[in-house]
Amino acid sequence: MRAKITYCVTAAVLVVYFVLVGSRGVLLIQQGTVITVALGAAVLVLPVIGVWFLWKNTQFVSRANRLAAELDAEGGLPLDELVRTVGGRIDRESADAVFAERRAQTEDSPDDWRCWFRLAVAYHDARDTPRARKAMQRAIALHDGKPVRA
């Protein structure tokens, strides 16, 4: 729940920032000189990119949460069997062992979105965020019946 609140607060702050930056871009364009119009147009590009990026991330998070809810309803969410340090951090060797198991399951069933979801969680636990995201994107695509790149 804390992660959802943090995400929402961060998204709200970004939206306010985009509005402020966008208004500055409009003010620059309204000045009417060649330089201010060029700078204003350049400034307006930043909020557009930011809004697109925020939208794509929000879609990704909502789709991943939908898969998690479906997997939870099936009783198939991965169990937290990781060893933790005294400070609560995941032990690297424990995460690697669970990762190897989940990778083997995914290799056995490469078209099962559930395996890819569990693999994404294992990647995340092993602190490999880019691969976790790619595995989750693959799980989402398989679940939605979309073509998956190799």
Side-chain angles (χ1 to χ4, degrees):
M1 186 59 161
R2 188 173 69 178
K4 286 183 182 180
I5 291 170
T6 302
Y7 187 82
C8 288
V9 168
T10 304
V13 168
L14 280 172
V15 167
V16 168
Y17 175 75
F18 297 150
V19 168
L20 290 173
V21 170
S23 69
R24 297 298 178 213
V26 169
L27 289 173
L28 283 170
I29 290 171
Q30 287 175 345
Q31 292 295 316
T33 67
V34 174
I35 292 175
T36 59
V37 169
L39 285 174
V43 167
L44 284 177
V45 169
L46 296 174
V48 170
I49 292 171
V51 166
W52 174 82
F53 184 73
L54 183 61
W55 173 251
K56 294 306 270 183
N57 278 316
T58 302
Q59 280 183 320
F60 174 76
V61 168
S62 99
R63 289 176 180 155
N65 284 338
R66 184 187 64 206
L67 292 188
E70 187 173 330
L71 206 54
D72 186 31
E74 295 174 358
L77 277 179
L79 299 174
D80 187 3
E81 52 198 10
L82 300 168
V83 176
R84 300 189 186 275
T85 64
V86 177
R89 296 196 70 145
I90 296 172
D91 178 61
R92 182 73 173 189
E93 290 179 14
S94 173
D96 289 344
V98 170
F99 170 77
E101 178 185 325
R102 301 269 163 72
R103 184 180 60 202
Q105 291 171 352
T106 304
E107 288 171 353
D108 291 342
S109 301
D111 295 330
D112 186 2
W113 68 267
R114 293 162 187 85
C115 290
W116 282 99
F117 182 94
R118 292 183 196 109
L119 181 64
V121 172
Y123 270 127
H124 177 73
D125 291 342
R127 298 185 192 118
D128 191 347
T129 305
R131 287 188 180 143
R133 188 171 183 89
K134 286 183 182 180
M136 187 60 73
Q137 287 169 340
R138 188 172 187 119
I140 291 167
L142 287 169
H143 179 268
D144 294 345
K146 295 181 180 171
V148 179
R149 287 184 272 154

